[in-house]
Each structure stands twice: as C-alpha cells, then as structure tokens.
Amino acid sequence: MTTSNGEVQARKADISRKTNETDIKLQFAVDGTGKSSLETDVPFLNHMLDLFTKHGQFDLSVEAHGDIEIDDHHTVEDIGICLGQCIHEALGDKRGIKRYASVFIPMDEALAQVVIDVSNRPHFEYRAEYPSDRVGSFDVQLVQEFLWKLALEARITLHVIVHYGQNTHHMVEAVFKALGRALDEATSIDPRVSGVPSTKGVL
C-alpha cells in the first residue's frame, strides 16, 4: 500500500464486528512471520486458520464468540467476512502485486488446489466431495461457507479444487494450506511490476 507521497505503508488491517449472533475482533497483516493468536468457539477452525497463517507467512489474531449453542454457522461465516474485509483493506491500491497464483498442496493421500486472482471482482468456484460430513463436531459444509464469504469480502476470484482424498480432515487441511500459500504468492510484491498488474490501470 502506498500513500499519496509514495511512501510504503504496512499492509495490515483490523476490524471489530458485533451482531446479535457473533462478536469478532480480527487483525491481519499480509507481510508477517506466520504468527497466529486464535480464540474462537470452533476448535477445528482455529486449527485451519493456524495452518493458513503459517503457510501464508501472515500474522493473524482472531477473538470470536458466537451462538454455537445453535451451531457453528454464524461464527464461521462472520470470521470469513471479517478476514476478507481485512485482506481487501490491507492490500490497498494493490500496486506491485503478482496478482495471480495457483498452488497444489498434498496432505498424505489428499490433493488440493487453490487458484487466486486478486482482481477486485469477487467470484468463487468450489469443487470438493468429502467422504464424511463432519470432522469431529465440525460441519464440513461450513468450509464452503467460509471460503465464499472470504472471496466475496476480499474481492478476489477464488477457485478451490480438491482433486482426491480419503480422509476428510486431510482434504480440508490441504485446502487451507494451499489457500495460505496461494494468497501469499498472489499478494507478494514483484519488483518488475510498475503500478498495478492490469491493462485497465486499476484493480
């Protein structure tokens, strides 16, 4: 992110979001060291966000509590919204970024692929069939809900493909590792890029 006088600013953002269903405080830095501080009511999501942060070399802090006595849906969805909004804000004018990335990640028998375009045009495609509906108490359909809301609010084009796998935990884990690495690559600064990587002149 650059200021009007050309100075480089840290690519980070934070948000507080409180509704009748959730209460979330989230901080995100693009150029981090892989450190996470995660306190949510959804342990499996904590695990996935930790993987995302470590493999993307971001810094992420999340404090989130929601109406899990109903189910995990609102909490997972709203964290996706908040993270997406922080990503969008942190990237600013997007000058110098690589913009695109495609990453394959294996996790034992599972293979996932994440393809990203930091386009300012939100779109989400998801191709995944899991052998089980739950990992522990976590409803696996919430992976799609989280990713879609993240793509929408970050204003990125996001394609997620789980090519194969036998263990649902492994398959979802591969997705979040690939997401971290793909977002890291797409948002990294390429010194050869002048301005934004678009013939339109703006992203």
Side-chain angles (χ1 to χ4, degrees):
M1 186 187 300
T2 56
T3 64
S4 57
N5 60 8
E7 294 180 352
V8 177
Q9 289 184 323
R11 298 191 297 171
K12 60 183 180 180
D14 61 82
I15 190 172
S16 293
R17 173 186 169 94
K18 187 170 185 177
T19 72
N20 291 333
E21 298 166 343
T22 61
D23 186 356
I24 297 171
K25 295 179 179 65
L26 189 147
Q27 296 175 320
F28 177 77
V30 177
D31 306 303
T33 58
K35 294 187 299 185
S36 62
S37 174
L38 306 168
E39 183 183 338
T40 85
D41 298 323
V42 188
F44 184 74
L45 183 62
N46 288 347
H47 178 37
M48 294 302 107
L49 290 175
D50 186 42
L51 295 169
F52 162 78
T53 305
K54 184 68 173 180
H55 286 269
Q57 287 296 297
F58 310 123
D59 287 340
L60 177 64
S61 173
V62 183
E63 182 181 344
H65 303 287
D67 54 357
I68 60 167
E69 69 278 4
I70 297 174
D71 66 12
D72 294 340
H73 184 106
H74 296 142
T75 303
V76 174
E77 177 182 41
D78 285 7
I79 292 173
I81 289 171
C82 291
L83 180 56
Q85 289 176 349
C86 281
I87 291 169
H88 183 256
E89 181 181 343
L91 290 176
D93 58 17
K94 304 175 184 65
R95 287 181 180 272
I97 66 168
K98 290 185 176 180
R99 178 177 169 177
Y100 295 99
S102 178
V103 172
F104 287 87
I105 289 292
M107 175 62 191
D108 295 350
E109 86 298 340
L111 181 67
Q113 180 184 13
V114 171
V115 185
I116 287 178
D117 176 10
V118 183
S119 60
N120 207 35
R121 298 192 308 276
H123 187 83
F124 179 55
E125 295 289 339
Y126 189 58
R127 304 288 184 269
E129 294 184 8
Y130 299 103
S132 60
D133 295 332
R134 291 186 173 273
V135 177
S137 62
F138 183 81
D139 185 348
V140 174
Q141 70 177 347
L142 294 180
V143 174
Q144 180 173 358
E145 196 67 33
F146 174 87
L147 294 170
W148 161 230
K149 293 311 190 307
L150 183 145
L152 179 66
E153 298 295 340
R155 299 194 62 81
I156 62 176
T157 295
L158 176 63
H159 292 244
V160 176
I161 306 162
V162 180
H163 291 280
Y164 46 78
Q166 298 176 0
N167 181 290
T168 300
H169 187 136
H170 291 171
M171 295 162 77
V172 176
E173 183 166 326
V175 166
F176 276 83
K177 288 178 177 177
L179 177 66
R181 289 182 176 265
L183 187 63
D184 177 44
E185 182 178 338
T187 59
S188 64
I189 301 298
D190 186 337
R192 299 170 299 173
V193 176
S194 176
V196 298
S198 172
T199 55
K200 295 182 178 69
V202 65
L203 284 173

